[in-house]
């Protein structure tokens, strides 16, 4: 065994011991440090082991309480309590751009519109606007491009042509309904990874949640995790179809225990998509999971986020519930297609003082 | 604060992701102040009143200290002018049909809607509260209040026929939340036809703006008058002829002073004291949501006072950890900033908080503050104080804004005991996902309002008030209306007492009595002694007093009770009260009916005794008969009256339960007249509604009451009814000074009693119900009875209808609507049913109720809309 790996093994063993003997102390030690305990990439498999060991404990979801009216109330309040104006608004909006998973998930997607999307991903805001804000050298791009599995090749090709390393995310596992056989769902993941997707947005099997088969759900997501290999796993909970906030919390926790890198609200294809109450419950689950294991899991709302104002509200929500450390693309994404246009218009207004006509901004 | 720094570039913000200032413009508020030349006077009779030669105080921006305007301090003359304007307006305002008043209130609501920006900007600027709360909370609620009460004004004449507005209402407001507190109280007062004179603290211009908006409607100018000045002007206001009622909101200490200075006046005083709230967090709670509830209750500028937090010990660590992390995310700042959670309340509030926290620290408390403010900063950070057991002096004191005082408890039962041992009883919330547990705690808490899994929800239709030291006034809903209404039959002009009285001389001790003979008492002689704890006991003083009949002969002896006996009686009553309260109304009714039957059995003997005391035989027989009927009538009422009901409130998520609860132990001092009927008429309603009683029977003829007690002894639980004979004044004094008596009904000279109450330490505790009116002349009443027209109200209608601590007037409304309760017969021909006919109790049943607001305690899956 190479010494480096052996060393890591020991550190993992120590961590595990600490987690199980005194989780509070472990968490405190995590809080005091700014960085994560280990480098994530090199430790992917071993931190996974930590999660799986932790995941064997279903008591994490059996005693939870979620009060729906209280969560709804908090959701109302949180949107009214933070406002951003002037420079702050502009800077936050640019930050929001870097969180976007620029998405197209349509039946009529072809290479040409995927290519347009990829170039928009590379150049999300008009160059002169960025210059005016002195932000042109920050390398602002969106976080990822998200497409159907069959279009991954197109996206990889287009992004390569554009000369950037924006990751390609692919939805998978029978998106959006997940009502296909497990075997084909797993195969979908493998094929997408083969095609060059480095992030996989899988969608969970809602029937397992609604019938309370949490172990089965855990096993499925673990298999997704294994199928992903090196690729990041984002687990879509399709919260609009889970029936209750308590189920949302439990599904979030199971998804994290099974090794998801992100948990994501919805596919964008349900009748109800990313809402604040659901997000609050998921964020609380992420925080609880972090406190229990020391692992930071990312969050991705998707569906229905269309305006710049919405995006700011989501950033504020993250900052309020989880803190600044979650405000980076590794831990926060916004799945959106038309949001970018609105943000660009707001930036235009901030820079010029005028509202843009649609022909002022390049289309995606 | 941040505005003074150099503005960071977008690039810097991009990397730090800090919040920036998001100031709202306050130009409109300054422009309005400019229209007054930055000098605010009083708003009286639709005009600005700026008398010369008055002191003024500056109204400052609490954050910058910038002088916004000067406010004139009122002198007694100004208050008198305002009262005169209100009195002048009273005739026309109360004279118009309710529909017209409704229209006027609706117009005012629209006026507020049109000028809401000015209203919220001015309020936030002057008070320092976060503008978000004023804009999204207070201003819409003010409009809702006006609209709700406009509807009430519309229907009041049909729903409560014959009820009259009390007249001119004096209102004294606290320094914080003056605008909303004013709306809660003026809306019902105006709706029923009262006119209002308000004294607001000098640095709160919003009520003045509101009065100006009301004045600009043109008609009915004098109905709302606002005078700026210190709360000490309350006494002046109360002494102004024409003022019928003074409503005080603010600190308990000021209320005590006010009560003392108003003692002896025929004036109703209603108090809303203290601002502290309570939050109970159980192990079955959604802790994250409960933490938000704590933020709502203490650190969001939504509630005026601090918060007492009780957390189950098993959840303590987790709660504290989550709470502290949440505290780190709270932002304090200028109220007119769109991105702050909490503004400031000025230097005075900051100093109070600072002092409290220092005291707590010196007594051993742990204090957590997420940020430290530089010295001299106008802000005070959100503060968590814990580990201070109840015995520490600081733990007993009222928790100030913005402090949360946390203590652990072990079991729900212990939580209830801890919560109920606090002297304040304003509002509380219970956090538990177990519905049964939450409701049980909700029922058990001695609080005006209990929320379940939420905190601080308000709605115009939901009455809110207090228990214990938090005062006795209710606002909102129908209960808010009753505060400003007089039942039919109340004398128009109660006498105005102005002479100075020395209350120390009221019944200080038992006067010495000498034995007399020969004794020619009734046969069989009722047992000798005080009826305490279910049996006849010798008095502590071992002395007796003689009872004389109308012909001047010695009738017999009764025991001479004293302070010690009163104490024993109250203790016995408390022991019995809990069990009696839990009895179902049917069981209570059955016992009252049984007592009625027993009374009829004793009828001839009782009638003979009454005759000996000067009644004609027919009248005496009628009195006995009527007494039995009264018992039956109250039995019926006890059964007919639901224990509480659900309010349908669309604005709140979840139902609202309005509960009626007995007050506890009542002290009743019976009048000398109508020895039997008065005794029974006062006893029956108290028992019917679940109270235990300590009675002082008629001084001239106490033997009748003792005779009835022989039946009480065999029928009722021991200690439920206690009869203490002796010197009336002295016993009254003892009862009034007993802290654990929840109400006192007194027939006699009100001035004496009010004085006593003013002196008693817990001035807001006891709600006296006092009457000194002479009853209908005995002869006339007797004639009526002999004619078979049972005028059911031989007892006086009180000149001072007391809005008791949670007194419910609900029943009275029903009497007015449906005629007399069964068994009492019709009223005098043409007279119509009289309120209070259901007994001597003009106030109807005695009951305190807490509004129990409940949010659905479990997430409800929705079929259509997912969460």
């Amino acid at each position: 065994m190479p010494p480096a790996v052996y060393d890591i093994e020991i550190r993992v063993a120590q961590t595990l011991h600490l987690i199980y003997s005194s989780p509070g102390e472990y968490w405190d030690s995590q809080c005091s440090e700014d960085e994560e305990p280990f480098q994530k990439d090199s430790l992917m498999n071993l931190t996974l082991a930590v999660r799986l060991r932790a995941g064997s404990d279903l008591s994490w979801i059996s005693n939870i309480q979620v009060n729906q009216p209280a969560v709804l109330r908090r959701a109302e309040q949180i949107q009214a309590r933070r406002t951003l104006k002037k420079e702050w608004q502009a800077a936050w909006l640019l930050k929001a751009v870097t969180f976007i998973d620029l998405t197209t998930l349509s039946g009529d997607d072809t290479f040409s519109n995927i290519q347009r999307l990829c170039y928009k991903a590379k150049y999300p805001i008009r160059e002169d606007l960025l210059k005016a804000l002195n932000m042109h050298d920050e390398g602002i791009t969106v976080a990822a491009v998200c497409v159907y599995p069959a279009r991954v090749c197109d996206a990889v090709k287009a992004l390569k042509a554009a000369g950037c390393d924006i990751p390609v995310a692919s939805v998978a596992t029978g998106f959006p309904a997940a009502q296909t056989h497990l075997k084909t769902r797993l195969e979908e993941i493998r094929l997408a990874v083969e095609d060059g997707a480095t992030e996989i947005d899988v969608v969970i099997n809602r029937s397992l949640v609604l019938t309370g088969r949490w172990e089965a759900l855990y096993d499925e997501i673990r298999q997704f995790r294994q199928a992903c290999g090196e690729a990041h796993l984002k687990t879509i909970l399709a919260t609009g179809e889970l029936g209750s906030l308590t189920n949302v919390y439990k599904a979030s926790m199971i998804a994290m225990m099974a090794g998801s890198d992100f948990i994501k609200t919805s596919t964008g294809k349900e009748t109800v998509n990313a809402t604040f109450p659901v997000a609050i419950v998921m964020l609380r689950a992420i925080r609880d999971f972090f406190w229990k294991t020391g692992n930071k899991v990312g969050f991705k709302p998707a569906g229905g986020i269309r305006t710049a104002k919405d995006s700011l509200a989501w950033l504020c929500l993250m900052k309020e519930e989880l803190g600044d450390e979650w405000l980076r693309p590794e831990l926060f994404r916004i799945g959106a297609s038309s949001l970018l246009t609105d943000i660009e218009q707001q930036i235009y207004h901030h820079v010029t003082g005028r509202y843009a006509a649609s022909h002022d901004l390049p289309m995606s | 604060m941040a505005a003074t720094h150099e503005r960071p570039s977008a690039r810097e913000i991009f990397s730090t992701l800090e919040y920036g200032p998001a100031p709202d413009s306050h130009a409109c508020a300054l422009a309005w102040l400019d229209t007054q030349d930055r000098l605010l006077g009083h708003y009286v009779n639709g005009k600005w009143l700026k008398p010369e030669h008055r002191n003024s105080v500056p109204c400052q921006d609490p954050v910058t200290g910038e002088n916004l305007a000067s406010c004139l301090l009122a002198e007694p003359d100004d208050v008198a002018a305002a009262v005169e304007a209100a009195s002048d307006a009273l005739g026309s305002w109360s004279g118009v049909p309710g529909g017209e008043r409704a229209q006027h209130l609706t117009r005012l609501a629209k006026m507020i809607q049109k000028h809401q920006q000015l209203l919220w900007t001015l309020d936030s600027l002057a008070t320092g509260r976060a503008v978000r709360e004023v804009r999204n909370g207070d201003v819409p609620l003010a409009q809702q209040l006006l609209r709700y009460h406009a509807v009430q004004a519309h229907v009041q004449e049909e729903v409560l026929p014959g009820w009259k507005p009390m007249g001119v209402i004096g209102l004294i407001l606290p320094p914080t939340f003056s605008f909303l507190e004013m709306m809660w109280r003026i809306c019902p007062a105006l709706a029923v036809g009262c006119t209002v004179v308000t004294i607001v603290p000098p640095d709160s211009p919003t009520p003045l703006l509101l009065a100006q908006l009301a004045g600009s409607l043109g008609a009915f100018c004098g109905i709302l008058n606002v005078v700026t000045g210190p709360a000490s002007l309350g006494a002046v206001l109360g002494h102004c002829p024409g003022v019928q009622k003074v409503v005080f909101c603010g600190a308990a200490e000021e209320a005590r002073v006010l009560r003392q200075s108003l003692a002896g006046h025929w004036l109703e005083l209603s108090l809303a004291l203290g601002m502290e709230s309570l939050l109970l967090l159980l192990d079955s709670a959604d802790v994250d949501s409960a933490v938000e509830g704590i933020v709502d209750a203490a650190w969001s500028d939504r509630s005026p006072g601090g918060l007492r937090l009780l957390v189950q010990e098993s959840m303590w660590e987790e709660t504290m950890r989550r709470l502290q992390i949440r505290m780190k995310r709270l932002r304090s700042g200028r109220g007119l900033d769109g991105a702050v959670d909490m503004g400031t309340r000025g230097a005075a509030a900051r100093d109070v908080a600072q002092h409290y926290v220092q005291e707590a620290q010196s007594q051993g408390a742990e204090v957590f503050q997420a940020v430290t403010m530089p010295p001299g900063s106008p802000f005070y950070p959100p503060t968590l104080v814990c580990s201070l057991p109840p015995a520490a002096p600081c733990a007993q004191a009222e928790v100030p804004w913005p402090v949360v005082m946390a203590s652990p408890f072990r079991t729900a039962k212990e939580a209830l005991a801890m919560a109920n041992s606090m002297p304040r009883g304003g509002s509380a919330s219970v956090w538990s996902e177990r519905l049964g547990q939450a409701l049980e705690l909700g029922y058990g808490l001695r609080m005006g309002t209990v929320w379940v899994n939420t905190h601080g929800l308000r709605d115009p239709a939901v009455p809110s008030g207090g228990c214990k030291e938090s005062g006795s006034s209710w606002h909102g809903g129908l209960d808010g209306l009753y505060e400003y209404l007089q039942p039919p039959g109340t004398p128009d002009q109660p006498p105005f007492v102005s002479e100075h009285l020395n209350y120390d001389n009221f019944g200080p001790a038992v006067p010495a009595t000498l034995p007399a003979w020969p004794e020619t008492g009734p046969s069989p002689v009722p047992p000798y002694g005080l009826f305490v704890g279910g049996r006849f006991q010798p008095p502590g003083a071992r002395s007796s007093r003689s009872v004389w009949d109308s012909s001047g002969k010695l009738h017999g002896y009764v025991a001479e009770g004293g302070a010690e006996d009163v104490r024993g009686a109250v203790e016995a009553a408390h022991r019995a009260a809990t069990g009696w309260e839990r009895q179902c109304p049917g069981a209570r009714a059955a016992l009252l009916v049984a007592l009625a039957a027993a009374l009829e059995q004793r009828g001839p003997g009782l009638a003979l005794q009454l005759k000996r005391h000067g009644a004609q035989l027919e009248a005496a027989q009628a009195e006995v008969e009527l007494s039995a009927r009264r018992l039956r009538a109250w039995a019926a009422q006890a059964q007919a009256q639901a224990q509480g009901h659900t309010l349908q409130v669309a604005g709140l998520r979840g139902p609202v339960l309005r509960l009626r609860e007995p007050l506890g132990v009542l002290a009743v001092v019976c009048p000398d007249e109508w020895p039997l009927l008065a005794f029974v008429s006062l006893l029956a309603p108290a028992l019917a509604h679940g109270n235990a009683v300590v009675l002082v029977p008629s001084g001239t003829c106490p033997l009748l009451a003792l005779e009835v007690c022989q039946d009480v002894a065999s029928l009722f639980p021991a200690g439920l009814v206690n009869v203490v004979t002796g010197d009336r004044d002295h016993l009254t004094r003892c009862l009034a000074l007993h802290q654990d008596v929840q109400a006192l009904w007194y027939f006699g000279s009100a001035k004496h009693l009010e004085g006593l109450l003013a002196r008693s330490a817990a001035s807001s505790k006891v709600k006296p119900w006092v009457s000194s009116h002479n009853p209908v002349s005995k002869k006339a009443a007797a004639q009526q009875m002999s004619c078979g027209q049972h005028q059911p109200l031989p007892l006086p209608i009180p000149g001072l209808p007391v809005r008791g601590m949670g007194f419910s007037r609900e029943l009275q409304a029903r009497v007015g609507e449906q005629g007399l309760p069964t068994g009492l017969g019709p009223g005098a021909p043409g007279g119509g049913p009289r309120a209070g006919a259901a007994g001597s109790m003009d106030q109807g049943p005695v009951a305190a109720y807490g509004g129990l607001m409940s949010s659905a305690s479990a997430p409800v899956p929705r079929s259509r809309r997912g969460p």
Side-chain angles (χ1 to χ4, degrees), chain B residues 4 298 358 403 541 648 724 791:
Chain B
T4 58
Q358 277 164 4
V403 179
Q648 299 272 324
V724 181
Q791 182 63 26

Side-chain angles (χ1 to χ4, degrees), chain A residues 70-87:
Chain A
V71 171
L72 295 183
R73 197 170 153 74
R74 167 73 175 148
E76 272 169 22
Q77 286 174 353
I78 208 164
Q79 295 172 75
R81 292 208 170 160
R82 295 289 181 262
T83 325
L84 292 152
K85 292 189 175 177
K86 302 212 167 84
E87 280 85 359

Side-chain angles (χ1 to χ4, degrees), chain A residues 75-293:
Chain A
E76 272 169 22
Q77 286 174 353
I78 208 164
Q79 295 172 75
R81 292 208 170 160
R82 295 289 181 262
T83 325
L84 292 152
K85 292 189 175 177
K86 302 212 167 84
E87 280 85 359
W88 284 270
Q89 196 179 55
W92 279 60
L93 284 175
L94 288 178
K95 197 75 184 181
V97 169
T98 67
F99 297 144
I100 292 178
D101 275 4
L102 198 58
T103 305
T104 180
L105 292 170
S106 305
D108 55 1
D109 285 341
T110 62
F111 176 72
S112 63
N113 77 314
I114 297 283
Q115 191 191 24
R116 280 208 302 272
L117 191 80
C118 289
Y119 271 73
K120 190 70 185 171
K122 163 89 166 126
Y123 306 106
I125 307 287
R126 238 169 64 176
E127 190 73 15
D128 56 328
L129 299 178
L130 288 177
K131 271 207 177 107
L133 289 165
N134 191 24
M135 296 288 290
H136 52 286
D137 53 352
E138 286 275 333
I140 291 176
T141 65
V142 301
V145 172
C146 184
V147 293
Y148 268 123
R151 298 268 78 84
V152 170
C153 282
D154 294 347
V156 171
K157 193 174 152 197
L159 285 169
K160 200 174 171 192
C164 64
D165 54 356
I166 298 173
V168 175
S170 168
V171 296
T173 68
F175 184 92
Q179 298 284 23
T180 57
H181 294 292
L182 181 60
K183 193 176 168 191
T184 59
R185 282 188 272 153
L186 291 169
E187 197 56 28
E188 240 183 289
I189 297 176
R190 291 191 196 102
L191 292 173
V193 173
E194 270 173 33
D195 283 353
T198 51
E199 301 183 359
I200 305 292
D201 289 23
V202 300
V203 56
I204 62 162
N205 185 347
R206 273 81 96 189
S207 67
L208 296 180
V209 173
L210 293 171
T211 51
R213 288 152 64 199
W214 302 108
E215 287 95 339
L217 179 66
Y218 173 78
D219 289 340
E220 272 200 19
I221 300 175
R222 269 193 64 189
Q223 293 183 51
F224 296 160
R225 169 76 266 175
Q226 278 159 358
C228 282
E230 291 288 311
H232 281 234
L233 173 67
K234 300 193 205 125
T235 305
I236 305 172
L237 303 178
T239 53
E241 294 176 353
L242 294 189
S244 73
L245 291 180
T246 310
N247 276 352
V248 169
Y249 183 97
K250 291 182 175 175
S252 306
M253 198 50 106
I254 292 288
M256 288 186 286
M257 292 189 319
S260 308
D261 296 295
F262 270 84
I263 50 173
K264 178 175 167 184
T265 56
S266 37
T267 60
K269 309 284 183 193
E270 293 95 43
T271 45
V272 179
N273 291 296
T275 62
F276 269 61
V278 163
I280 287 169
V281 171
M282 290 173 73
L283 294 179
R284 286 174 181 172
I286 289 175
R287 186 175 54 200
D288 289 349
F289 187 74
F290 171 60
W291 283 353
K292 283 182 206 286
T293 66

Side-chain angles (χ1 to χ4, degrees), chain A residues 24 27-28 65-74 76-77 80-88 90-92 94-96 98-99 133-138 140 239-240 242-246 248-249 271-273 275 277-278 284 287-288 291-292 315-325 327, chain B residues 7-25 132-133 135-136 283-290 292 295-296 299-300 302 318 321-322 325-326 329-331 337-341 431-433 453-457 653 855-862 864-867:
Chain A
W27 181 79
D28 289 341
Q65 312 282 352
V66 180
N67 185 281
Q68 193 186 27
V71 171
L72 295 183
R73 197 170 153 74
R74 167 73 175 148
E76 272 169 22
Q77 286 174 353
R81 292 208 170 160
R82 295 289 181 262
T83 325
L84 292 152
K85 292 189 175 177
K86 302 212 167 84
E87 280 85 359
W88 284 270
W92 279 60
L94 288 178
K95 197 75 184 181
T98 67
F99 297 144
L133 289 165
N134 191 24
M135 296 288 290
H136 52 286
D137 53 352
E138 286 275 333
I140 291 176
T239 53
L242 294 189
S244 73
L245 291 180
T246 310
V248 169
Y249 183 97
T271 45
V272 179
N273 291 296
T275 62
V278 163
R284 286 174 181 172
R287 186 175 54 200
D288 289 349
W291 283 353
K292 283 182 206 286
L315 261 67
C316 290
L317 176 69
M318 289 301 284
K319 190 175 164 82
E320 291 297 308
E321 285 286 324
L322 293 177
D324 289 340
E325 54 207 306
L327 282 173
Chain B
R7 292 177 86 119
S9 68
R11 210 185 169 91
E12 282 164 37
I13 303 165
F14 184 79
S15 60
T16 60
L17 276 188
E18 287 301 317
Y19 293 117
D24 276 17
S25 161
R132 171 202 74 237
E133 284 304 319
R135 184 183 54 214
N136 304 349
D283 59 358
S284 54
D286 173 357
V287 182
D288 282 309
S289 291
E292 292 306 326
V295 172
D296 251 8
W299 301 317
S300 68
R302 177 160 299 164
E318 195 177 348
R321 174 167 156 195
R322 283 167 202 267
I325 288 200
R326 182 72 179 88
R329 308 221 196 282
L330 291 169
R331 301 185 80 226
D337 186 306
V340 300
D341 292 297
W431 293 77
S432 166
E433 292 301 301
N453 288 331
T454 183
H455 197 103
L457 297 187
R653 283 196 190 96
S855 286
S857 64
V860 185
R862 292 186 184 169
R864 293 282 163 105
R865 283 178 46 210

